[in-house]
Amino acid sequence: MSPSRIRRLPDHLVNKIAAGEVVERPASVVKELVENALDAACTQVTVDLRDAGRALIRVTDDGVGMSSDEVDLALLRHATSKLATDADLDAITTLGFRGEALPAICAVTRFSVLSCPRGAHTGTLVRGEGGTVNEKLLVAAPAGTAVETQDLFFNTPARLKFMKSAQSEVAAALRLLEAIALAHQDVHFRVSHNGRPALGAPRARSLRDRIGTLWGFERAGKLLEVERKDGPLAVSGLIAPPQLARGNRDEIVLIVNGRPVRDTQLSQTLIEAYRPLLARDQFPIAVLHLELPPQEVDVNVHPTKAWVRFRSPRQIQEILYRAVKDALQQAQVVQPQRGLAGAIAPAGLTAPERESADWGSAGAISGPPHLTEGLTPDMPSPDAQTRLFHEPPARFTTANFGAVIGQLQDTFIVAASDEEIFFLDQHVAHERVLFERLLGELDAGPLASQELLFPQPVELGAGQAGLVQEWAETLEGLGFRLEGWSGATVVLRAVPALLRGQEPRRLIEALVEDVNRPRKGEPVPLLHRALSFVACHAAIKAHAPLQREEMARLIADLAVTKTPYFCPHGRPIVSRLSLRDIKRELGRTW
């Protein structure tokens, strides 16, 4: 094939290329038209779809409207009311601004635009197809604008092959509209599909009310307030406690200056802020508004404006992480409501026996001897207690996990309450207990350290020695003492007292590997990662037999931690079985 001469493309082909960038699917058309309506200061938006938007998309608003001349300009590429100077590009404050969305949409549809300025009674109606206006009329119309598109991609049939099923396309459009509705709670949204209501969101007084309308008021009532401000940066919104986690990311909505966006780093930061409370396959529910100066964010990095770029991404991630962490520190997040006086009765008691039992403030149970024997917290002497945990004895408190039944495979503690049976992984449970106790002890000063009889040189890999040297102050607070920096070699002189029985050289090598392991988008402090390592290595291991009083002590200590359901690394501690389900399966009705 011989090379051809350079030539300018005809306008209709240029418009189709632009449409290919902006109009990916029906949801893209809905997004652009609704954003234009919001920029027109509307208070109501109505969206009508037919055949998932392929046959019809109609967006009607009560915004400021357009004059006859403005309607003509709106159908030309790069014509907009939202930019006046070059400086405006550096501080975008509107949702739509590129000036090519509407002509791009019209280029691949049969379209009509009806618009009437506020205060006028006569509007302008234009009709056309494939980007060409065929008819223009002056007609009586209410204030606002109505844009209707039919037969999407009628002149580019190849694009239709990439469309998904009607259900998928409708779902995509509704998810997008939900996010926009969450970002603009002062606007009334009505959406229908094939003549049937699909989404309704009246104007709401608060974000919680808007979420209640869209996702249910019971769920909205359980959400936690998020509020943090750092100079011109601010994060606000609502997040769900870990108990309401989902198996996907569909209910994570991030809004930057009123614009719902997709940002991988922000989403990952949010997830990592939850991670001590969530398993790896679980994701939070969150609606978060980020407010920052418009010059600090570039919204013009993608034709559809779904992605943004921050001038200082790390700063944004940090304030988001801290805001979510603060919200998750609330006691009700990880301490579920308990029964009478916060106590949980041991399994097996009948109703009269439960009523006659004496629940003391220290958690001691007295009642029928044949039932309470073996289930009471009969604590051994302090010496026996501290032999396993290496810590001062603490007053026994009633555990959230009921009473100890026994140990399974020398790995899982089995306990039971009146309603559930619990299987607790003894290693990760003890890891959580140690982590929170050590974290508290750090407030009083460095952790106890054990000097090595013979200091050991440790060879570190390329680049690791410099990192460990930077960590030296933090590691010293945990009980490690490293000296004699020379190239890639470091001398280990002391380890945390909790780890004194372990091989020192392998310990520091494992620490470096664990703490330096890449964690995508995770701004977790070095101190917490290193402390998690210490707690993990000091905790009791699987296949370690425990006495009943040791198991009772462990689950009691676990119950009073801030996060008793996941270890510091995010692994779950507890598995539950409902006694009600067991009885139902076995045909019991009592």
Side-chain angles (χ1 to χ4, degrees), residues 374-530:
L375 296 177
T376 58
D378 184 16
M379 301 305 295
S381 66
D383 290 341
Q385 282 190 47
T386 58
R387 187 167 53 251
L388 170 64
F389 297 102
H390 308 288
E391 60 201 20
R395 179 173 63 87
F396 186 92
T397 56
T398 302
N400 287 349
F401 306 111
V404 172
I405 294 176
Q407 190 181 24
L408 181 64
Q409 296 181 347
D410 291 340
T411 298
F412 303 101
I413 298 172
V414 184
S417 72
D418 225 19
E419 298 178 348
E420 293 179 296
I421 299 175
F422 303 91
F423 298 85
L424 300 95
D425 186 317
Q426 63 193 37
H427 169 70
V428 291
H430 196 206
E431 184 179 341
R432 167 52 65 184
V433 170
L434 289 178
F435 176 84
E436 295 199 12
R437 182 163 289 123
L438 294 175
L439 193 60
E441 291 176 0
L442 277 173
D443 293 337
L447 299 182
S449 180
Q450 174 67 51
E451 291 279 345
L452 299 181
L453 183 61
F454 300 103
Q456 297 194 17
V458 179
E459 292 286 342
L460 299 174
Q464 292 182 332
L467 289 174
V468 174
Q469 192 167 12
E470 290 180 15
W471 304 339
E473 184 177 351
T474 297
L475 297 180
E476 195 167 308
L478 298 179
F480 292 96
R481 197 161 83 244
L482 303 163
E483 297 178 357
W485 302 95
S486 175
T489 302
V490 61
V491 176
L492 179 63
R493 294 191 173 275
V495 297
L498 281 174
L499 306 180
R500 59 179 175 265
Q502 303 197 28
E503 206 283 314
R505 182 182 288 107
R506 291 186 179 179
L507 188 64
I508 195 66
E509 290 172 350
L511 171 67
V512 171
E513 180 181 351
D514 185 79
V515 175
N516 198 35
R517 183 178 297 121
R519 289 168 168 85
K520 183 178 179 182
E522 180 183 357
V524 178
L526 167 66
L527 175 63
H528 282 221
R529 284 185 274 161

Side-chain angles (χ1 to χ4, degrees), residues 408 414-424 574-583 585:
L408 181 64
V414 184
S417 72
D418 225 19
E419 298 178 348
E420 293 179 296
I421 299 175
F422 303 91
F423 298 85
L424 300 95
V574 185
S575 177
R576 308 176 181 214
L577 287 177
S578 168
L579 284 173
R580 180 182 300 175
D581 292 342
I582 294 174
K583 290 175 181 178
E585 186 174 344

Side-chain angles (χ1 to χ4, degrees), residues 202-232:
R203 298 181 67 179
R205 292 174 299 176
S206 66
L207 178 60
R208 192 181 297 275
D209 289 342
R210 175 52 59 90
I211 293 175
T213 301
L214 296 173
W215 295 347
F217 287 98
E218 181 179 358
R219 181 190 302 182
K222 298 177 182 178
L223 301 183
L224 308 171
E225 296 277 354
V226 175
E227 190 76 38
R228 190 178 182 91
K229 187 173 178 61
D230 183 5

Side-chain angles (χ1 to χ4, degrees), residues 112-255:
S112 70
V113 179
L114 171 63
S115 189
C116 179
R118 285 178 180 169
H121 301 286
T122 302
T124 304
L125 172 65
V126 296
R127 296 191 183 100
E129 62 179 34
T132 301
V133 175
N134 298 329
E135 185 178 23
K136 179 178 180 180
L137 303 170
L138 296 179
V139 298
T145 301
V147 180
E148 182 177 302
T149 67
Q150 299 183 35
D151 301 330
L152 181 62
F153 300 135
F154 79 98
N155 55 353
T156 54
R159 299 290 301 277
L160 290 173
K161 297 178 181 178
F162 295 94
M163 299 271 287
K164 297 183 179 179
S165 67
Q167 295 87 341
S168 296
E169 295 296 345
V170 169
L174 292 179
R175 281 197 301 269
L176 184 146
L177 287 166
E178 276 188 349
I180 294 176
L182 291 168
H184 300 274
Q185 62 200 41
D186 56 339
V187 177
H188 187 169
F189 291 85
R190 297 186 184 91
V191 184
S192 67
H193 179 236
N194 291 338
R196 297 181 178 180
L199 184 149
R203 298 181 67 179
R205 292 174 299 176
S206 66
L207 178 60
R208 192 181 297 275
D209 289 342
R210 175 52 59 90
I211 293 175
T213 301
L214 296 173
W215 295 347
F217 287 98
E218 181 179 358
R219 181 190 302 182
K222 298 177 182 178
L223 301 183
L224 308 171
E225 296 277 354
V226 175
E227 190 76 38
R228 190 178 182 91
K229 187 173 178 61
D230 183 5
L233 306 180
V235 177
S236 62
L238 295 167
I239 61 174
Q243 295 89 336
L244 300 181
R246 312 287 286 181
N248 54 57
R249 303 170 189 248
D250 288 350
E251 293 181 27
I252 295 177
V253 180
L254 301 175
I255 301 162

Side-chain angles (χ1 to χ4, degrees), residues 244-271:
L244 300 181
R246 312 287 286 181
N248 54 57
R249 303 170 189 248
D250 288 350
E251 293 181 27
I252 295 177
V253 180
L254 301 175
I255 301 162
V256 177
N257 290 352
R259 181 193 306 276
V261 301
R262 289 175 288 174
D263 187 283
T264 304
Q265 291 299 324
L266 284 183
S267 296
Q268 191 63 29
T269 298
L270 167 67
I271 292 168

Side-chain angles (χ1 to χ4, degrees), residues 258-321:
R259 181 193 306 276
V261 301
R262 289 175 288 174
D263 187 283
T264 304
Q265 291 299 324
L266 284 183
S267 296
Q268 191 63 29
T269 298
L270 167 67
I271 292 168
E272 292 301 338
Y274 268 85
R275 273 312 181 205
L277 307 174
L278 286 183
R280 290 289 169 180
D281 59 348
Q282 295 292 299
F283 301 94
I285 299 171
V287 180
L288 295 174
H289 288 257
L290 288 84
E291 298 293 332
L292 62 158
Q295 61 269 21
E296 293 295 318
V297 56
D298 183 2
V299 299
N300 196 21
V301 297
H302 191 273
T304 65
K305 305 182 294 296
W307 302 88
V308 296
R309 180 185 293 126
F310 298 104
R311 188 185 300 274
S312 304
R314 189 67 181 180
Q315 189 178 7
I316 306 299
Q317 293 168 28
E318 183 67 21
I319 187 175
L320 175 64
Y321 182 84

